[in-house]
Amino acid sequence: MSDASQGAADLAALDHAVEAARSGDDARALTQALRRRAAGRLNGGRFAGAAADLDEASEIHRRHEQTGERARCLHLAATAARMGGDLDGAATRAEVAIALVEDAGPVAVAAWTERGETAHAGGQFTLAGEYLDTAAERAEAAGLLPEHLANLHRRRAQSWMAAGSAVRAASCLLKARVVAEEAGLSTIALRAMIEEAAAWITAGDLDEAEQVIEGAGREAGRLADDAALCDLELQRAALALHRGLVQDALACVRSARALALSAVHPVGYTAAAVAMSELAERLGDREGAYEALAVGWATLGDLLGPDVARASFEPKLRALVDQWGEAEFVRIRDAVSGRG
């Protein structure tokens, strides 16, 4: 049976379970069946149907004065609505869930987080940051597991970065790092450090960024994390460029590309290859600029397939055609091919 056929069969079974529970006039069985079907619909991308199931379950809980369970269903319905593009519906459900739980406990954390996710999805980045700040405060009070709390701080930082508040984002990431380090979550702490360094670069505080990068580099070396080392080399390249050291930046992105290959880190590899091309062009090395993209295309094709490679590199090569002119581009291409 194909995956699609299996999925359809699973949903049919869930439909049957809901109708059986409905005909049996058993409220508890019906809410459980509705929530199971909502989960199946979410997995199948049927977001509106999942939200409707959770809304129905929430209404049953309301009639039976089960406030906590009603709030939980509304929070989950808000997530389903957001995933289906109904941002207003998501916001309304999350707000009702927050009011029901009186702003405290794990469901409140989840509902405030969902409110932030909805605002972020709607491009309201400052509002998203504020909602996620509240979620983090509630999470600390509720004793959220360190892994989830650290990742919530990282998510706050993404909204504040999108809102143009890089310093505030860096503060969130420092909190994420401290939480993760205290809990022995080395990988999460390292990612938070890398993200913190990027925030300081965006904020223009290069000395602070460099200090964080060096600390992260030591930790990445201890963990033998070549993907993290690749990302840090890209950040060192950004620092070098801010200081006008183009050759140093080029050396860093070459190192990043090699580390990305070692780690099988496609995103890092693509970023390094594109940066190499841009830096070579800046230095007047048109052959190097073309070669970095051509080799990148071939390598990424081996890793992820031709479609992903084309989507990643073809626009950059077309930009070189537009910039140099077709005749010059062909000359450079043929010169590089002739060396091979």
Side-chain angles (χ1 to χ4, degrees), residues 67-68 71-72 96-109 111:
T67 303
R72 186 170 286 107
V96 174
I98 289 166
L100 286 171
V101 293
E102 298 180 353
D103 211 22
V107 178
V109 174

Side-chain angles (χ1 to χ4, degrees), residues 190-204:
L190 176 57
R191 295 316 307 180
M193 290 180 79
I194 293 169
E195 292 158 8
E196 183 188 350
W200 285 122
I201 291 171
T202 300

Side-chain angles (χ1 to χ4, degrees), residues 190 194 215-229 232:
L190 176 57
I194 293 169
R218 290 190 292 273
E219 183 64 5
R222 184 183 73 81
L223 296 173
D225 188 336
D226 282 352
L229 289 168
L232 290 166

Side-chain angles (χ1 to χ4, degrees), residues 77-151:
T79 301
R82 171 175 56 82
M83 293 174 71
D86 179 10
L87 301 186
D88 290 340
T92 298
R93 291 175 175 92
E95 286 168 359
V96 174
I98 289 166
L100 286 171
V101 293
E102 298 180 353
D103 211 22
V107 178
V109 174
W112 276 111
T113 301
E114 179 53 48
R115 192 67 188 86
E117 294 288 0
T118 301
H120 191 104
Q124 298 174 296
F125 302 122
T126 298
L127 192 59
E130 291 169 352
Y131 285 136
L132 292 169
D133 286 351
T134 301
E137 291 171 6
R138 302 297 182 267
E140 289 170 354
L144 195 68
L145 289 173
E147 179 177 357
H148 299 312
L149 180 57
N151 285 328

Side-chain angles (χ1 to χ4, degrees), residues 259-276:
L259 286 162
L261 281 173
S262 172
V264 192
H265 180 18
V267 173
Y269 180 85
T270 302
V274 170
M276 281 183 65

